[in-house]
């Protein structure tokens, strides 16, 4: 740890309200005890009121707890930051090393009571996520820098149906984490439009000298969701899907990332969704199949027919 960080850490330890020995500081910071003495001398020379008591119960402390608010964070704010860090790391946050350093400092610059409180709150707090490919983290780090600096990048991108990656230049406007995947929302120079690019499909990122201008009103989240779940109000033909079923199943449908977006009306045993024709025929039957007999399609007949066709295709496939 750099000298300044060690000196600041000593300052927070001295501010705990209890006496701390040079040996305790050296063990916690993993530095030589002579170095601790030099840091204390430097703090005293800078005007920090350090009290030194000798003898069996001796040690160092600050006069009247010189620092009132360590790091300007109270205990709830520290707890929130540490728990948020758990979410970020589980999502594959690209700056994991910096995040670890930051959380270590938060814990270090706390008095003993705060440390015990934080330990209790973190002990039973877990986030379970599907582990992504660690090789994507360098890609995310490059994209994060490009987004922050308004820098165009050249990428090699391979979609699931492509045998070979395609080279293109994009302006990465933002990054989005959705459904266990990282995406960059970027203006594609090849297609001359905004598109979403999955980070795990980007094989290479190279910074270019090109720069772009991002509007302050731009929202990567809004653009991503608009592309993923377009507004049916913009469609010429809208079809009602009426489903009856158990309340628990209908609740789950209402929370589904796709179906819930199109929910129009809900009663205790019925839900009405509004879809465009393409979504109705292409996606809806496959989502509904997983609910089995817990739901029943009332109308339209085309969805019933499509469900039968999909099941028949599966039966034929597995009977071969």
């Amino acid at each position: 740890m750099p000298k300044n960080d060690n000196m600041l850490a000593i300052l927070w330890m001295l501010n705990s309200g209890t006496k701390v020995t040079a040996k305790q500081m050296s063990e916690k910071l993993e530095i030589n005890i002579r170095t601790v003495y030099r840091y204390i001398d430097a703090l005293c020379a800078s005007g920090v009121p350090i009290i030194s008591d000798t003898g069996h119960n001796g040690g160092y402390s600050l006069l009247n707890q010189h620092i009132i608010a360590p790091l300007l964070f109270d205990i709830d704010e520290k707890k929130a930051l540490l728990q948020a860090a758990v979410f970020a790391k589980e999502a594959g946050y690209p700056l994991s090393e910096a995040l670890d350093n930051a959380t270590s400092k938060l814990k270090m610059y706390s008095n003993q009571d705060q440390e015990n409180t934080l330990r209790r709150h973190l002990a039973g707090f877990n986030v379970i996520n599907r582990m992504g490919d660690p090789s994507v983290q360098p890609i995310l780090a490059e994209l994060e820098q490009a987004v922050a600096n308004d820098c165009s990048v050249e990428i090699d991108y391979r979609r699931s149906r492509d045998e070979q990656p395609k080279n293109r230049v994009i302006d990465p406007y933002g990054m989005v984490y959705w459904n266990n995947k990282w995406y960059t929302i970027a203006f594609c120079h090849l297609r001359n439009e905004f598109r979403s690019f999955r980070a795990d499909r980007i094989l290479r990122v190279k910074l270019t000298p090109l720069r772009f201008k991002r509007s302050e009103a731009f929202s990567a989240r809004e653009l991503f969701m608009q592309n993923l779940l377009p507004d049916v109000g913009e469609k010429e033909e809208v079809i009602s899907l009426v489903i009856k079923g158990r309340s628990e199943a209908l609740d789950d449908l209402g929370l589904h990332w796709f179906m819930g977006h199109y929910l129009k009306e809900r009663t205790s045993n019925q839900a009405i969704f509004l879809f465009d024709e393409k979504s109705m025929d292409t996606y809806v039957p496959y989502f509904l199949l997983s609910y089995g007999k817990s739901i029943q399609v009332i109308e339209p007949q085309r969805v019933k027919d499509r469900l039968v066709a999909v099941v028949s295709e599966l039966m034929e496939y597995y009977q071969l």
Side-chain angles (χ1 to χ4, degrees):
M1 186 180 292
K3 175 182 176 180
N4 290 342
D5 286 339
N6 278 325
M7 291 181 68
L8 188 57
I10 289 174
L11 198 55
W12 300 136
M13 284 187 237
L14 295 176
N15 194 59
S16 64
T18 58
K19 294 177 183 178
V20 185
T21 66
K23 181 180 179 182
Q24 289 171 328
M25 287 184 269
S26 69
E27 290 175 350
K28 186 164 186 177
L29 298 176
E30 297 180 350
I31 59 178
N32 190 283
I33 194 167
R34 293 182 180 177
T35 305
V36 172
Y37 290 136
R38 289 201 302 271
Y39 288 162
I40 290 176
D41 289 342
L43 288 169
C44 290
S46 66
V48 178
I50 298 177
I51 300 174
S52 174
D53 293 326
T54 59
H56 178 68
N57 294 318
Y60 295 94
S61 61
L62 281 184
L63 178 65
N64 298 324
Q65 286 188 269
H66 182 67
I67 305 170
I68 298 175
L71 289 182
L72 304 179
F73 296 135
D74 62 26
I75 186 63
D76 286 335
E77 291 168 336
K78 287 186 177 183
K79 178 179 67 177
L81 290 171
L82 291 174
Q83 291 180 340
V86 176
F87 275 95
K89 289 190 66 176
E90 193 66 20
Y93 181 66
L95 306 179
S96 295
E97 184 176 351
L99 185 62
D100 286 338
N101 291 338
T103 55
S104 295
K105 290 178 182 178
L106 273 176
K107 295 174 185 177
M108 184 176 295
Y109 305 153
S110 304
N111 59 42
Q112 191 62 48
D113 289 341
Q114 289 175 329
E115 282 189 32
N116 293 335
T117 300
L118 292 173
R119 191 180 301 111
R120 289 197 304 271
H121 282 282
L122 288 173
F125 187 85
N126 294 281
V127 177
I128 300 176
N129 198 1
R130 289 187 301 180
M131 295 301 295
D133 186 350
S135 65
V136 78
Q137 287 210 340
I139 297 292
L140 291 175
E142 292 278 2
L143 290 173
E144 192 273 337
Q145 285 292 323
V147 171
N149 296 320
D150 299 336
C151 180
S152 302
V153 296
E154 179 184 326
I155 64 172
D156 291 335
Y157 190 74
R158 183 170 60 197
R159 296 172 298 180
S160 57
R161 61 179 179 270
D162 294 335
E163 292 185 4
Q164 297 296 328
K166 295 181 179 179
N167 182 268
R168 62 185 74 196
V169 175
I170 63 172
D171 301 337
Y173 274 59
M175 297 173 66
V176 174
Y177 182 74
W178 180 83
N179 202 20
N180 298 313
K181 294 286 190 301
W182 281 95
Y183 297 79
T184 181
I185 312 303
F187 182 81
C188 178
H189 290 211
L190 178 65
R191 301 298 183 185
N192 199 33
E193 64 182 5
F194 280 99
R195 291 200 166 191
S196 301
F197 297 90
R198 264 178 52 174
D200 60 329
R201 293 177 178 173
I202 298 175
L203 307 183
R204 181 182 66 92
V205 177
K206 180 182 178 182
L207 296 177
T208 74
L210 301 176
R211 294 293 184 272
F212 62 90
K213 180 68 175 178
R214 179 175 46 243
S215 168
E216 292 185 2
F218 178 84
S219 171
R221 175 192 176 95
E222 289 182 7
L223 185 60
F224 180 82
M225 296 307 295
Q226 286 173 7
N227 291 337
L228 182 69
L229 301 170
D231 187 356
V232 293
E234 300 175 357
K235 305 293 182 178
E236 294 182 0
E237 184 179 355
V238 177
I239 306 171
S240 294
L241 170 66
V242 182
I243 297 177
K244 286 189 176 181
R246 296 204 304 262
S247 178
E248 297 84 355
L250 295 179
D251 288 342
D252 194 65
L253 268 176
L255 294 173
H256 189 275
W257 69 267
F258 183 83
M259 299 292 294
H261 178 71
Y262 299 100
L263 179 63
K264 178 65 176 179
E265 183 180 327
R266 169 67 199 280
T267 64
S268 60
N269 65 343
Q270 180 175 284
I272 300 176
F273 303 83
L274 296 181
F275 289 100
D276 62 278
E277 186 175 354
K278 179 182 177 181
S279 297
M280 180 79 78
D281 295 336
T282 306
Y283 307 115
V284 170
Y286 294 95
F287 290 135
L288 296 183
L289 276 177
S290 63
Y291 290 88
K293 295 181 179 180
S294 64
I295 61 171
Q296 180 183 10
V297 175
I298 305 302
E299 59 179 58
Q301 182 63 40
R302 65 189 295 167
V303 175
K304 298 181 184 180
D305 295 340
R306 186 72 182 115
L307 282 167
V308 172
V310 171
V311 173
S312 298
E313 290 171 3
L314 286 172
M315 289 177 61
E316 183 179 352
Y317 176 79
Y318 283 106
Q319 286 175 352
L320 292 178

